[in-house]
């Protein structure tokens, strides 16, 4: 298998960022996280950030015409040439179609779409306890994955914060948006033979082991 080009799919709080952290290290992939790109743009008050902020604060999707160009540019960068892990993109059918056309133009292919499934009730519990390092995007949970010292990142000591869009009302809207606009991507990628489903209610290390085993099988099949 020349390159590993993966998509992480799943509702808000399913554990995409948590798994991405381990996957990118294990498989040396460029991790392209739309949420992190957008939050950085908002913090730096760039044109993209100013366009995106009101959508993100309300828990709505940033319009396709804003996000697609940003993401296709990231996929074409030299650091993504040997493989990428998309986290938070695509989130609509037009985004998936745009990605497919771009990869075809570049003579590249998706390896798999890793879908992490978690119930809505579990998501509300997870998101309310999430704490993040605003600089690196590293994620913790006050009960399920606490830092060694309360409120402080294990790696660089940065103070952990709660995300603006993790308020209960906003989370409910993000879930509605997910079911309406993003969940149909499961069928879309299933029909392309790319979808792999994972039970995201297991412990993070268990979810990771299952994803890693699936990727190992895909690599093996590719060499036969
Ligand atoms: P984004 O940042 O992508 O948010 P999201 O998809 O809603 O996902 P989250 O980051 O909330 O959750 P996650 O699945 O990464 O879970 P995590 O690992 O943190 O997007 C934010 C906004 O940007 C969107 O609402 C939209 O406005 C905009 N946007 C982004 N992409 C866009 C696009 N393509 N088009 C248009 N707009 C876009 O885990 C959650 C918590 O659970 C953590 O505390 C973690 O420690 C814990 N946890 C993780 N795994 C487990 C486990 N197995 N068991 C127990 N706890 C766990």
């Amino acid at each position: 298998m020349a390159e590993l080009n993966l998509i992480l799919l799943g509702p808000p709080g399913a554990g995409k960022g948590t798994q991405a952290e381990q996957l990118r290290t294990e498989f040396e992939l460029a991790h392209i996280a739309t949420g992190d790109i957008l939050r950085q743009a908002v913090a730096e008050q760039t044109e993209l950030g100013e366009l995106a902020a009101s959508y993100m604060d309300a828990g709505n999707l940033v319009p396709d015409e804003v996000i697609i160009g940003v993401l296709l540019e990231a996929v074409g960068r030299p650091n993504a040439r040997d493989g990428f892990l998309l986290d938070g993109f695509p989130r609509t059918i037009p985004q998936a179609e745009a990605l497919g056309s771009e990869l075809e133009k570049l003579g590249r292919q998706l390896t798999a779409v890793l879908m992490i499934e978690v119930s809505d009730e579990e998501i509300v519990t997870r998101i309310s306890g999430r704490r993040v390092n605003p600089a690196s995007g590293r994620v913790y949970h006050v009960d399920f994955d606490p830092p060694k010292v309360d409120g402080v990142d294990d790696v660089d000591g940065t103070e952990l914060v709660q995300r603006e869009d993790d308020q209960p009302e906003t989370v409910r809207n993000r879930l509605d948006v997910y079911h309406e606009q993003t969940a149909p991507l499961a069928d879309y990628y299933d029909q392309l033979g790319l979808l792999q489903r994972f039970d995201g209610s297991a412990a993070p290390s268990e979810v990771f082991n299952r994803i890693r085993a699936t990727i190992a099988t895909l690599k093996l099949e590719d060499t036969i």
Side-chain angles (χ1 to χ4, degrees):
M1 183 175 291
E3 54 184 80
L4 210 49
N5 296 325
L6 303 170
I7 292 175
L8 276 170
L9 189 64
K16 301 183 294 296
T18 301
Q19 296 303 321
E21 182 77 19
Q22 298 193 61
L23 285 167
R24 72 168 167 180
T25 313
E26 173 97 7
F27 296 103
E28 296 181 359
L29 301 171
H31 175 210
I32 303 170
T34 36
D36 291 346
I37 293 172
L38 291 169
R39 278 185 288 279
Q40 190 179 351
V42 171
E44 291 171 358
Q45 297 179 317
T46 63
E47 196 182 334
L48 171 65
E50 286 183 3
L51 267 168
S54 61
Y55 296 99
M56 295 176 76
D57 287 348
N60 292 322
L61 293 184
V62 172
D64 286 342
E65 54 275 24
V66 174
I67 196 79
I68 286 175
V70 175
L71 255 289
L72 298 189
E73 195 267 324
V75 166
R77 280 193 206 148
N79 73 329
R81 229 170 256 159
D82 296 332
F84 58 73
L85 176 63
L86 291 181
D87 168 3
F89 185 93
R91 261 175 145 107
T92 63
I93 299 284
Q95 290 181 16
E97 289 171 345
L99 176 67
S101 316
E102 181 70 10
L103 291 177
E104 202 177 319
K105 249 193 275 167
L106 296 171
R108 301 175 69 178
Q109 282 181 339
L110 286 172
T111 313
V113 176
L114 313 171
M115 181 166 185
I116 305 179
E117 298 178 294
V118 178
S119 71
D120 287 8
E121 302 84 77
E122 168 93 16
I123 281 163
V124 175
T125 312
R126 283 190 188 182
I127 289 188
S128 59
R130 171 164 55 187
R131 299 294 179 270
V132 294
N133 175 332
S136 69
R138 209 172 353 266
V139 179
Y140 297 86
H141 190 281
V142 290
D143 298 317
F144 308 138
D145 184 17
K148 293 190 182 98
V149 177
D150 200 22
V152 178
D153 183 38
D154 291 347
V155 179
D156 62 17
T158 301
E159 193 178 332
L160 302 176
V161 299
Q162 192 159 22
R163 262 169 49 176
E164 289 285 333
D165 60 348
D166 280 354
Q167 304 305 321
E169 268 309 299
T170 317
V171 172
R172 271 188 282 277
N173 188 45
R174 284 165 61 198
L175 275 169
D176 289 346
V177 168
Y178 173 79
H179 289 300
E180 273 165 37
Q181 299 190 53
T182 306
L185 288 176
D187 275 351
Y188 177 89
Y189 283 120
D190 202 16
Q191 280 168 19
L192 294 177
L194 289 168
L195 193 76
Q196 303 282 344
R197 293 176 186 269
F198 299 90
D199 175 5
S201 66
S205 57
E206 184 54 38
V207 178
F208 177 67
N209 286 340
R210 291 176 193 168
I211 294 178
R212 184 170 48 186
T214 297
I215 293 175
T217 307
L218 290 172
K219 281 180 142 181
L220 196 65
E221 283 169 0
D222 194 60
T223 58
I224 296 170

